[in-house]
């Protein structure tokens, strides 16, 4: 056991992910390191619910923390998740039904070195969250507790512009695309198969 592990040594089921997140928050507090809102959910996601992996990932983030602690931006970068601004750009383009803007957002993503599969996974998760926002309207914060209020407000606008039916359809398309991407190389626009 490392000092971060304590008595937590097994995996947790999905219903206990909030408990895992609370435990990680206590670890950060005990270590005297500030973490931005949204960082711990990324740690839990990166660890896939494994307590041991979550503590290892958190340990790596804490080791790289500066005087400001662990920022959301640094965590996104170190853990390989898609920057929320890039996801917002893509979703705003979908909401505006602007295919050109969507292609430009995806191009910026690829040019900045992001993994297309990771983007698709993150986009699918965000679409799922937008379906929740659309379904729960003003009560989304009760389910999506890990988003800062300003992000939830942005998501309400996106969900409203895109519409619940279109969100569900987009999620289906992205899920199918992810299935087809397994083992595939990064697709080129000119060679895309529809």
């Amino acid at each position: 056991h490392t000092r971060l592990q304590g008595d937590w040594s097994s995996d947790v089921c999905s219903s206990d992910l909030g408990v895992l997140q609370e435990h990680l928050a206590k670890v950060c507090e005990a270590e005297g390191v500030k973490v931005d809102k949204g960082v711990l959910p990324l740690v839990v996601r990166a660890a896939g619910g494994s307590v041991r992996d979550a503590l290892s990932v958190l340990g790596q983030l804490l080791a790289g923390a500066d005087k400001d602690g662990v920022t959301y931006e640094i965590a996104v970068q170190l853990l390989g998740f898609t920057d929320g601004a890039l996801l917002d750009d893509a979703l705003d383009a979908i909401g505006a039904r602007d295919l050109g803007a969507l292609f430009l957002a995806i191009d910026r993503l690829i040019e900045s070195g992001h993994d297309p599969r990771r983007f698709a996974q993150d986009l699918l998760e965000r679409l799922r969250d937008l379906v929740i926002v659309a379904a729960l309207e003003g009560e989304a914060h009760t389910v999506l507790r890990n988003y800062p209020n300003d992000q939830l407000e942005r998501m309400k606008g996106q969900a409203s512009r895109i519409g619940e039916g279109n969100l569900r359809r987009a999620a289906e398309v992205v899920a199918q695309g992810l299935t087809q991407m397994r083992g595939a190389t990064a697709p080129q626009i000119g060679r895309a198969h529809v």
Side-chain angles (χ1 to χ4, degrees):
H1 283 306
T2 68
R3 66 190 172 101
L4 291 180
Q5 282 182 317
D7 295 332
W8 292 69
S9 59
S10 62
D11 292 346
V12 292
C13 66
S14 61
S15 64
D16 293 331
L17 294 179
V19 174
L20 174 57
Q21 199 170 303
E22 288 171 21
H23 176 67
L24 296 175
K26 289 176 186 166
V27 169
C28 294
E29 193 177 312
E31 295 291 318
V33 179
K34 179 184 174 293
V35 293
D36 283 357
K37 184 168 184 169
V39 168
L40 296 179
L42 291 177
V43 171
V44 171
R45 270 180 64 196
S50 163
V51 175
R52 192 175 298 111
D53 290 350
L55 291 167
S56 175
V57 168
L58 181 62
Q60 292 169 15
L61 288 179
L62 295 181
D66 60 15
K67 62 179 175 43
D68 297 323
V70 181
T71 65
Y72 178 79
E73 291 75 20
I74 293 293
V76 163
Q77 189 176 8
L78 291 176
L79 298 177
F81 289 110
T82 306
D83 181 3
L86 290 171
L87 285 172
D88 284 338
D89 288 349
L91 288 162
D92 289 343
I94 292 169
R97 289 162 177 69
D98 186 341
L99 195 56
L102 179 59
F103 280 128
L104 288 173
I106 293 170
D107 185 60
R108 272 196 314 278
L109 176 101
I110 292 171
E111 289 300 313
S112 64
H114 283 80
D115 175 22
R117 283 180 204 87
R118 175 83 259 171
F119 168 70
Q121 290 168 335
D122 292 344
L123 181 61
L124 181 59
E125 185 162 306
R126 179 64 69 84
L127 286 165
R128 183 212 63 197
D129 290 348
L130 287 174
V131 168
I132 291 170
V133 168
L136 295 179
E137 297 174 2
E139 300 299 312
H141 66 279
T142 61
V143 174
L144 302 173
R145 293 180 282 281
N146 298 322
Y147 284 107
N149 290 336
D150 62 328
Q151 179 66 37
L152 274 177
E153 285 305 312
R154 217 171 11 260
M155 290 168 67
K156 284 179 192 172
Q158 290 168 339
S160 164
R161 283 187 298 282
I162 298 170
E164 191 172 351
N166 288 331
L167 287 169
R168 290 178 187 278
R169 177 70 187 126
E172 289 172 15
V173 169
V174 172
Q176 289 170 352
L178 260 173
T179 301
Q180 293 172 357
M181 287 172 85
R182 274 194 214 128
T185 57
Q188 297 294 317
I189 300 273
R191 293 188 224 152
H193 298 288
V194 181

